[in-house]
Amino acid sequence: MTVILGQMFTGVSIGAVLLLIALGLSLTFGQMNVINMAHGEFIMAGAYTTYVLQKSIAGAGLSLIVALPVAFLVSGALGALLEWLLIRRLYLRPLDTLLVTWGVSLMLQQLARDIFGAPNVQTRAPDVLTGNITVIGGDDPLTFASSRLFILGLAVAAVVALSLTLRLTPLGRRIRAVVQNRDLAEVSGISTGRVDLTAFFIGSGLAGIAGVALTLVGPIGPTMGTNVIIDAFLVIVVGGIGQLKGSVIVAFVLGVLQSVLEYSTTVSVAKVLVLVAIVAFLQWRPQGLYTVRTRSLV
Amino acid sequence: MTTTTPQVPSVKQLRSPKGRLTFLRPAAGFAAAAVALFAVAPLALSDFRLGLLAKYLCTAMVAVGICLAWGRGGLLTLGQGVFFGLGGYAMAMHLKIADAGPGQVPDFMQLYGTATELPWWWRPFANPVFALAATVLLPMAVAAILGSFVFRRRVKGAYFAILSQALAAAFAIWLVGQQATTGGTNGLTDIQGFFGYDLDDPVNQRMVYFVIATVLLLLIALARQLIHSRYGELLVAVRDSEERVRFLGYNPANVKLVAYVVAAGMAGLAGALFVPAVGIISPALIGIVPSIELVIGAAVGGRASLVGAVLGAIAVAWARTALSEEFPAAWTYFQGLLFIVALAFLPGGLASLVGIVRRRRASRAPEGEAA
């Protein structure tokens, strides 16, 4: 019993990491239809920000708390710069955007290698987040790693913050307006260019927060972004474009599926099986779990 | 939202206005390529350089398929490495079995596992005819299965690109995981013979080069025929406006499927010939990164132009060897810049420069052209 619960928890925590990574994408890819392959490198930027801050701020706990907003700003600024320099010119060519941002990601990886060196670095987690929390005691104990719980909390907080922003604030209203009908938004007096830039800033900033979270569960290295980005894109593809709830559900389902399959087979076989499951799922719902229904043919 | 790029020639532009003598131009180009590959290169290059050229030509074969699927069909396939790998592994498995000799298992199996006999799925590859057929048919079958699932349900554009990329990632991870039977991260290495010929012998290496050059020219000819056929025009039409083609009574899914499957077969063949030329096939050659690198050559040269894609692939592969040996860091920056410049500012690739220059000249002297 505890084995099953433990596996479920592992799955949920994989899902939480996946969700944090995919959340920014659900804004940039899901809402604005920009495939940003450099998103993984924005995650890396967030992780290295944590590393740098920890070197300059003594306490691991304090530096982690400071790192969250700073990483948001650093990655967000990188994203805004990318939008302003390149992506802006490519809104009508999504596939080319994919390859252009891949080029950007190559350069950012090399930049990280030149600054921080090719080998992975490690941050020290604060003491509060290093232990385990015992949920069920006794002979057959069930324990949850507290860092994983922290990430779960962070993911939930990020989802709530983003959906509230989209739903309640004037900025969110403008973003939704541009997503639903760009031309109509434009003639209604919304500066779509500025909305694009802001949305991209927020989406990339969320990648920075994901990067901070990743420092708690793994090493920081120049290629850490590439390893996670494909899974995150799959979350959006399966979840459907234009809505957050699809991404949330799919991230946790894929996390649990991955963890259960890994438990019953091996890591590599689990990856293949998850992909087969995704292709099969798209047979049933080619546009993803939730879609914004339109009459357009495309 | 369409992915149309203005620089890519439309169906109308494919037909030359002048008509008569233009059929000679491709024939002349073909002859020039044949002279360069069969006479100039073997005479001018050392054995080592010729071996490298053989490797680049394999990349060019993949680029021919990418030109067809992506340039003409709009299918951005970021998983050509999978098909390259399937072909490569099919060939390498046969050669490893042949190297080991009858009744023996390949060297790495003795090293990693305690296997004393071949796994069941290795056994058919002992037969050379089966292995050769598998190098092409296996990738085509995988592409056909995946493609028919994906295209039939109208999963397209970015979704398709991401799925094909995920396929490359999953395949590479799976290969690494099955170390006892696939050689894991190392792949299948140290291949000695090629259907009875010793690959250490420079004469035989030259023979492999000639085989590769011949196959490349054949594939280019095949792709040219396809592009200039009715099917080729239909493919461009699907790329530019899928819905219109559907309303005209065609099934775009089938049109795309053919391009995807043909491209997969070409990549498989390239992988199969890569193995004797280089002597190794490994997951590092077929994952996400190498798969996307196969696309960049075609993108730089010109995705919709066969000549552009092929020359671009060769040039990028050459630049990679030339630059990455001496300046690995600079090469990565350069490669990134190449992606950005080629796709953001010159989407038709270098091949489109020819058209741009020609159009400028034509607009400057319209009377002279007309006469």
Side-chain angles (χ1 to χ4, degrees):
Chain A
M1 187 60 205
T2 49
V3 174
I4 298 171
L5 281 178
Q7 282 303 312
M8 292 297 279
F9 177 71
T10 313
V12 168
S13 71
I14 295 176
V17 173
L18 215 49
L19 179 58
L20 262 182
I21 297 164
L23 203 58
L25 282 180
S26 77
L27 200 60
T28 55
F29 178 40
Q31 311 258 341
M32 296 160 68
N33 216 3
V34 170
I35 305 157
N36 178 18
M37 280 296 181
H39 193 80
E41 277 55 49
F42 296 160
I43 294 170
M44 173 194 81
Y48 274 116
T49 306
T50 321
Y51 170 71
V52 170
L53 281 175
Q54 197 167 70
K55 280 196 148 179
S56 42
I57 300 176
L62 182 66
S63 70
L64 190 70
I65 289 166
V66 175
L68 285 173
V70 175
F72 183 84
L73 290 178
V74 168
S75 297
L78 280 175
L81 191 69
L82 178 67
E83 203 276 347
W84 185 63
L85 282 177
L86 286 173
I87 292 173
R88 169 153 304 202
R89 296 157 213 277
L90 298 166
Y91 273 120
L92 290 177
R93 305 186 340 224
L95 290 184
D96 287 1
T97 317
L98 191 161
L99 293 170
V100 167
T101 50
W102 177 271
V104 173
S105 99
L106 278 181
M107 295 173 84
L108 287 177
Q109 276 177 31
Q110 189 57 41
L111 194 67
R113 232 172 260 136
D114 288 349
I115 298 174
F116 299 102
N120 289 343
V121 295
Q122 202 96 37
T123 55
R124 201 161 35 80
D127 296 336
V128 198
L129 296 180
T130 47
N132 286 315
I133 291 170
T134 312
V135 182
I136 305 174
D139 303 334
D140 196 11
L142 176 66
T143 57
F144 291 168
S146 43
S147 61
R148 294 266 175 189
L149 278 176
F150 174 76
I151 292 175
L152 186 58
L154 196 62
V156 171
V159 170
V160 170
L162 182 61
S163 64
L164 287 182
T165 309
L166 283 179
R167 204 169 293 173
L168 299 179
T169 63
L171 171 69
R173 207 158 44 236
R174 284 199 293 272
I175 292 178
R176 280 185 293 138
V178 171
V179 168
Q180 278 169 22
N181 192 331
R182 180 170 287 268
D183 295 338
L184 192 57
E186 181 109 42
V187 294
S188 309
I190 294 173
S191 165
T192 52
R194 197 182 295 164
V195 169
D196 289 339
L197 193 65
T198 322
F200 219 82
F201 176 81
I202 297 174
S204 309
L206 286 169
I209 295 207
V212 177
L214 281 184
T215 61
L216 293 172
V217 289
I220 306 163
T223 56
M224 65 184 290
T226 336
N227 299 332
V228 293
I229 194 72
I230 302 297
D231 289 339
F233 269 112
L234 287 178
V235 168
I236 309 292
V237 167
V238 178
I241 272 180
Q243 288 184 27
L244 287 185
K245 63 179 170 186
S247 314
V248 175
I249 295 170
V250 169
F252 285 116
V253 168
L254 282 188
V256 171
L257 194 65
Q258 175 83 26
S259 131
V260 169
L261 287 174
E262 268 178 31
Y263 184 70
S264 40
T265 58
T266 62
V267 179
S268 59
V269 174
K271 280 266 178 212
V272 177
L273 289 178
V274 167
L275 184 66
V276 170
I278 287 172
V279 172
F281 176 83
L282 289 177
Q283 289 298 297
W284 176 49
R285 291 241 171 156
Q287 304 297 315
L289 193 57
Y290 290 105
T291 43
V292 181
R293 287 180 189 276
T294 63
R295 283 168 176 270
S296 84
L297 284 166
V298 183
Chain B
M1 202 174 277
T2 59
T3 56
T4 320
T5 49
Q7 278 82 353
V8 177
S10 69
V11 179
K12 224 184 267 171
Q13 284 167 316
L14 288 174
R15 293 252 163 84
S16 167
K18 278 178 260 170
R20 274 156 298 152
L21 287 173
T22 41
F23 71 92
L24 277 179
R25 204 188 289 157
F30 213 70
V35 169
L37 284 177
F38 291 114
V40 179
L43 289 175
L45 297 176
S46 67
D47 283 340
F48 173 69
R49 295 277 156 203
L50 200 65
L52 285 180
L53 183 60
K55 191 172 138 186
Y56 307 155
L57 294 185
C58 291
T59 332
M61 282 182 213
V62 186
V64 173
I66 289 176
C67 170
L68 198 66
W70 179 40
R72 294 282 156 168
L75 303 165
L76 176 52
T77 156
L78 298 176
Q80 288 306 91
V82 173
F83 308 123
F84 185 83
L86 281 171
Y89 270 91
M91 176 65 92
M93 278 159 75
H94 172 71
L95 298 182
K96 284 307 272 187
I97 295 171
D99 278 352
Q104 298 290 309
V105 296
D107 45 7
F108 75 91
M109 283 190 193
Q110 295 160 359
L111 201 65
Y112 301 136
T114 49
T116 48
E117 58 175 23
L118 289 172
W120 61 268
W121 54 276
W122 269 71
R123 263 177 231 152
F125 289 94
N127 182 334
V129 178
F130 177 89
L132 275 181
T135 59
V136 184
L137 296 182
L138 200 61
M140 288 174 95
V142 171
I145 293 170
L146 184 77
S148 60
F149 273 117
V150 168
F151 300 138
R152 200 165 50 85
R153 296 298 286 164
R154 304 185 196 176
V155 174
K156 53 189 157 190
Y159 279 42
F160 171 75
I162 288 167
L163 275 183
S164 68
Q165 193 166 37
L167 181 72
F171 186 53
I173 291 172
W174 180 80
L175 281 172
V176 171
Q178 311 296 313
Q179 193 172 36
T181 49
T182 63
T185 321
N186 297 334
L188 300 177
T189 57
D190 198 24
I191 284 154
Q192 309 283 337
F194 182 59
F195 297 100
Y197 295 97
D198 180 11
L199 284 175
D200 283 339
D201 190 341
V203 177
N204 291 337
Q205 272 297 340
R206 259 166 198 265
M207 175 195 72
V208 170
Y209 166 81
F210 281 116
V211 171
I212 289 174
T214 313
V215 171
L216 175 64
L217 286 180
L218 287 177
L219 289 186
I220 292 176
L222 173 72
R224 216 194 103 76
Q225 282 311 108
L226 268 179
I227 285 173
H228 290 268
S229 68
R230 275 170 59 87
Y231 167 77
E233 301 204 345
L234 202 53
L235 187 64
V236 174
V238 168
R239 176 193 71 190
D240 291 344
S241 180
E242 188 170 334
E243 292 305 332
R244 277 190 209 175
V245 174
R246 197 191 310 282
F247 293 155
L248 287 171
Y250 295 98
N251 185 354
N254 292 343
V255 177
K256 289 194 209 173
L257 189 62
V258 170
Y260 188 47
V261 169
V262 170
M266 289 179 173
L269 203 52
L273 292 169
F274 180 88
V275 169
V278 183
I280 180 175
I281 186 85
S282 74
L285 293 163
I286 65 187
I288 295 179
V289 178
S291 292
I292 211 164
E293 277 171 0
L294 290 170
V295 171
I296 190 186
V300 170
R303 65 183 85 159
S305 141
L306 261 181
V307 179
V310 166
L311 291 182
I314 295 175
V316 169
W318 169 79
R320 159 186 219 44
T321 318
L323 288 176
S324 68
E325 278 166 8
E326 281 184 59
F327 324 98
W331 163 248
T332 314
Y333 286 123
F334 180 70
Q335 198 184 15
L337 254 173
L338 212 55
F339 258 102
I340 295 167
V341 172
L343 286 144
F345 303 108
L346 198 64
L350 292 175
S352 67
L353 283 180
V354 179
I356 292 169
V357 169
R358 204 176 283 162
R359 242 170 287 143
R360 280 240 175 103
R361 216 182 279 162
S363 66
R364 212 177 294 154
E367 298 92 342
E369 283 286 302

